Amino acid sequence: MPGRGKTSRPASLRAATITVALVIAILPTCSINGVVFGAPPEEFNFAEVVSKLDYESIARHVRELSSYGSRVTGYDGYYKALNYITEYFVRVLGGTNVILQNYTVAIPKDLGAKITVMENGQVLRVLEAFCIWPNYIQTWKVSNLKGQLIYAKKGELSDFNGLNVSGNIVLLDFNSGDGWLNAARLGARAVIFVEPSGTTRWEAMVKFLNVPLYFPRFYVRKEDGDFLVKVSRESDVEVVIDSEFEWERAAAANVIGVVNGTRYPDEIIVVAAHFDSWSVVPKLAFGADEAVSVASLLELARYFSENRPLRTVYFVALSGHWQALAGAREFVEKFFFSPEVVSGRKKMYVFVALDLSTDGSDVALLYRGHMYDFGASGPMLRWLKWLQPRIFNYYIPLLEKQTGKRYSVRDGFHPSGSYGWWASIPEPYMLDSEPFAVAHGLSFAVRTDNVLRLQQGHPFDTWENVKLDNLKPQLEVAAAIVYGLANEQSLGITYSEVAPSRYLFTAAGGDLAGFMTVKGKVWTFNVSKGWYTEVPNAVVVACRVGVSYSSYPFSRIVTMSDEKGEFAINGISGYGYGHGYGRVDVWYFEAYKLSEKTGVIEYAPDQGQYGRMRIRFDYEVNRHPYNVTTVVFRAIPIEIFDVIDPTPYRPLMYMNPVFRNTLRALSSRPWTLTLYDAQQLSQFVAWGLSAVGYEKVAVLFVPPRAKGLLLFRVGPNLNIVGILTNSSPEYPE
């Protein structure tokens, strides 16, 4: 008889229940509601892992790397850092377990600048100066650039009252926002910024534009700046500037340190961090806070070399981060699309990027960034099916239980409430994990959340400003996740769901991918031949346009054409963000050629009859490899300032403050700038324009010796609201 209050079950059902329980206890993996789990989390001793992390070693790495000078890819400090990391991997992992992946990348290289202060023809002092990051692709070469020195403090218009600016050189405080544009508007030949006692990344980011305005800008040390402020009060003092700042193809490399797995050597977990740095003053990019990620990578490599995991782990020190993730794109091209991985003989399951800052201690796990903006409801299942619940339901709770700590970890895989896939990061960013994701891989970044990284991007990113205590909780989370993934008895991932794919679109956008190589050529129309000829050594830019456009300057891929006018770019995406069906990314390719003597643009994108009107510049890249063509013409640049909508007196385009794009932003009225031949009152055969709408500067390109007429149209009907010519009372024609 069954007891009171209990429910009797048939003996067969009780036996079945016991059998299921025994099976679950015996098998190394189990499945609940379709989610496959590996070893019980109690087998992971996360507390021991985090207790063995050596923060003194991390501090030594950061101090050493930030002592080399600029680590901008291609600069001297970068190569010192490359050697340091390579030698460390060889020492810790053994020479046979270190791979050097070489590639080339286009960079703006500061080859040196000096300011000679003259009084009555006599040299008072020669000062070292440093170039500011270029406006788009427009670098410069100046020789014997002379002018009276004008000190205009913050660069407000009122600061220029009574000063003779036109044709002279303006001295400004660095912490002056975009006041340097007022100097350019008023006809200054160049600007010199004085080093402040401290600054922020916001100040750095407003010192350059996304349009190719030719306007040399320099930075001087505070002692030299104070001297210049003093002598600027003397009417008989002038300065002479000499500088070389040009694009070049730099030799670059990724360093891969391999720890072979003890049980599953052909299953690979990738852990990566970039070791290059960026500063608005590229020659002064010490990047101490940036270095904490790669320093953490080196420490994780040491730990796993002494505590070998079940799976093979690649520790990848990437470069070219600020060159549109060049190193990460090249890594994916060579290793993820290697014959061994494509065939499945080796399985590269997960890519984990470290993108840490000591400005805060919170972290977010992010799969999506602003390089590709890749993500949709279908592809998100790649992350949500196993990885997200495994991390947030097992790894993090177990880590907290074992350490007795609470960790602030934002879930960027499964956004909810008031947080999106960008977590609490209020501005654009790029992740070294993004190229792996668009190639159909399973990747994410452990990134510091809820901070603005104000100490990065300028010459004050030094060791003294690193707050290493903030790194500890972030690295403990990252170490636990990497340890768990590397030591699961069985990953709950079907490899075909994360295997590399060049181009993929399944039914109804259930899964998307696209990682292709574009091969292109730069042409110019040769009137005497009646056909096109190649343009060697041109600077080529590729960027996403249309709904996927981003104003984030580092998401533009820059390369250079060779002697035959040819170029190649790895990592052009196919599909990106979408609602259900996904979105086909549209990429725009344009080229410029700069004068070898002055650096001024000599050839610009041709919007005319033999250029974009005949040969498209924008492409939906849907196969590998994909061939493109872009056309330039010999041009004279003309700068236009204060380009705004004159009716409501507002910017032509509003940008979303978080994404810095036009999605989910206040609507802007349609607008166009069209260039006409002033003599024929028709469009030029060849002409060009660079304008982005959210900046108040535009650059027109006209044929040499031409007279142009600019029509400004705004509104739904594109009514003409302005006509601009370069006529004057003396020359009204």
Side-chain angles (χ1 to χ4, degrees), residues 26-226:
I26 294 171
L27 291 178
T29 62
C30 64
S31 176
I32 301 176
N33 294 329
V35 179
V36 181
F37 302 108
E42 287 73 15
E43 292 186 9
F44 298 147
N45 192 342
F46 290 151
E48 181 181 354
V49 175
V50 300
S51 70
K52 291 185 177 180
L53 296 176
D54 187 346
Y55 288 93
E56 290 185 2
S57 292
I58 292 175
R60 285 195 298 271
H61 292 320
V62 173
R63 282 195 296 266
E64 184 69 20
L65 291 168
S66 61
S67 71
Y68 291 151
S70 175
R71 295 198 317 279
V72 171
T73 301
Y75 281 63
D76 291 345
Y78 164 83
Y79 295 111
K80 294 177 182 178
L82 175 63
N83 291 335
Y84 176 84
I85 293 167
T86 304
E87 291 172 1
Y88 182 83
F89 274 164
V90 169
R91 185 167 68 252
V92 171
L93 306 177
T96 58
N97 293 317
V98 180
I99 304 168
L100 201 64
Q101 180 194 4
N102 296 306
Y103 67 96
T104 59
V105 64
I107 61 163
K109 187 69 173 288
D110 181 355
L111 299 176
K114 67 177 182 179
I115 299 171
T116 304
V117 183
M118 309 283 293
E119 183 177 23
N120 296 322
Q122 301 297 316
V123 176
L124 287 181
R125 191 178 296 183
V126 179
L127 310 176
E128 183 180 19
F130 307 93
C131 297
I132 296 290
W133 196 256
N135 292 324
Y136 197 40
I137 54 83
Q138 181 61 83
T139 51
W140 59 80
K141 294 182 181 180
V142 295
S143 177
N144 202 36
L145 179 66
K146 294 182 179 180
Q148 184 182 352
L149 192 62
I150 307 295
Y151 179 48
K153 301 176 183 177
K154 301 294 184 183
E156 300 286 344
L157 287 175
S158 59
D159 292 329
F160 291 97
N161 288 342
L163 300 179
N164 181 21
V165 180
S166 182
N168 288 314
I169 296 169
V170 171
L171 184 68
L172 292 177
D173 300 335
F174 184 82
N175 292 340
S176 54
D178 62 356
W180 63 274
L181 282 171
N182 286 328
R185 287 184 181 97
L186 296 172
R189 304 185 73 185
V191 156
I192 302 170
F193 293 107
V194 178
E195 179 183 60
S197 57
T199 191
T200 67
R201 191 170 55 84
W202 179 86
E203 280 285 354
M205 293 298 291
V206 295
K207 296 298 187 291
F208 61 99
L209 301 174
N210 278 335
V211 295
L213 172 69
Y214 184 89
F215 190 62
R217 288 148 292 127
F218 304 93
Y219 180 96
V220 294
R221 298 289 194 184
K222 181 171 176 52
E223 179 182 350
D224 294 333
D226 290 343

Side-chain angles (χ1 to χ4, degrees), residues 675-680 684 702-709 726 733:
L675 194 60
Y676 282 81
D677 186 328
Q679 294 179 324
Q680 303 295 328
F684 286 108
V702 299
R705 297 175 297 279
K707 295 182 179 180
L709 180 72
N726 60 349
E733 70 280 4

Side-chain angles (χ1 to χ4, degrees), residues 535-595:
V535 180
N537 303 316
V539 179
V540 182
V541 183
C543 71
R544 292 183 293 116
V545 293
V547 296
S548 64
Y549 173 82
S550 172
S551 67
Y552 191 55
F554 308 109
S555 65
R556 288 157 173 75
I557 301 175
V558 181
T559 188
M560 297 182 70
S561 64
D562 61 17
E563 294 301 321
K564 296 180 180 180
E566 298 175 349
F567 63 90
I569 300 173
N570 293 323
I572 297 296
S573 59
Y575 278 100
Y577 170 84
H579 298 280
Y581 287 98
R583 172 208 72 210
V584 179
D585 281 341
V586 178
W587 285 80
Y588 184 86
F589 298 85
E590 66 178 13
Y592 299 82
K593 187 167 184 179
L594 311 183
S595 166

Side-chain angles (χ1 to χ4, degrees), residues 678 707 725-733:
K707 295 182 179 180
T725 70
N726 60 349
S727 59
S728 65
E730 293 80 11
Y731 300 97
E733 70 280 4

Side-chain angles (χ1 to χ4, degrees), residues 642-674:
D642 300 316
V643 182
I644 61 172
D645 189 335
T647 307
Y649 201 73
R650 66 182 187 184
L652 292 173
M653 182 183 297
Y654 286 101
M655 304 298 287
N656 181 295
V658 175
F659 303 111
R660 297 301 300 161
N661 61 20
T662 56
L663 290 176
R664 294 176 288 277
L666 293 173
S667 60
S668 303
R669 299 206 301 167
W671 61 276
T672 64
L673 291 169
T674 310

